[in-house]
Amino acid sequence: QVQLVESGGGLVQVGGSLRLSCAASGRGFSGYTMGWFRQAPGKEREFVAVSGGTIYYANSVKGRFSISRDNAKNTMYLQMNSLKPEDTAVYYCAARGSYFTSASKDDYDYWGQGTQVTVSS
């Protein structure tokens, strides 16, 4: 079973930065597509970024967020800069067992519990 644990969320002011981490259990991390999604209250879970065969970002975060991964540490990161109030959400780490760049939450098999990011104005 794959276990994913997010960390690094918190409260920041507009224009600030945070780095989220997603630690994955077990072996095989390098062969997984890893993605970040977020969900604000009353809204559907939406795509943020993915690292698999390629790297891809949602238009809303392009130029501000950066996804990376350290396969040796089984860890994925999301560096978030120039944060805006609309970035406020619970951020989720997700994985699927193959390399396939997808922005659809339906394509992911495993999910973490989420970490709260709050951006105050």
Side-chain angles (χ1 to χ4, degrees):
Q1 297 291 328
V2 175
Q3 301 289 328
L4 304 174
V5 180
E6 305 95 335
S7 63
L11 174 64
V12 298
Q13 292 187 325
V14 170
S17 298
L18 284 173
R19 190 180 76 160
L20 306 183
S21 298
C22 173
S25 67
R27 300 177 180 177
F29 178 81
S30 63
Y32 280 71
T33 292
M34 301 293 297
W36 288 100
F37 292 77
R38 66 187 183 186
Q39 188 167 19
K43 301 178 68 176
E44 291 189 4
R45 191 167 300 185
E46 66 177 1
F47 169 76
V48 175
V50 61
S51 175
T54 61
I55 292 176
Y56 181 74
Y57 299 94
N59 288 335
S60 59
V61 306
K62 284 181 179 178
R64 300 188 298 119
F65 290 11
S66 179
I67 190 172
S68 63
R69 59 196 293 170
D70 187 337
N71 290 336
K73 293 182 171 63
N74 284 5
T75 302
M76 175 179 65
Y77 306 95
L78 183 68
Q79 179 66 47
M80 305 185 295
N81 300 321
S82 301
L83 284 162
K84 305 174 181 179
E86 52 263 42
D87 295 319
T88 296
V90 176
Y91 283 71
Y92 295 91
C93 173
R96 61 173 287 154
S98 64
Y99 270 7
F100 188 89
T101 304
S102 176
S104 174
K105 59 181 175 60
D106 295 333
D107 289 330
Y108 291 82
D109 304 308
Y110 308 101
W111 295 85
Q113 295 297 311
T115 185
Q116 177 71 49
V117 172
T118 302
V119 185
S120 64
S121 59

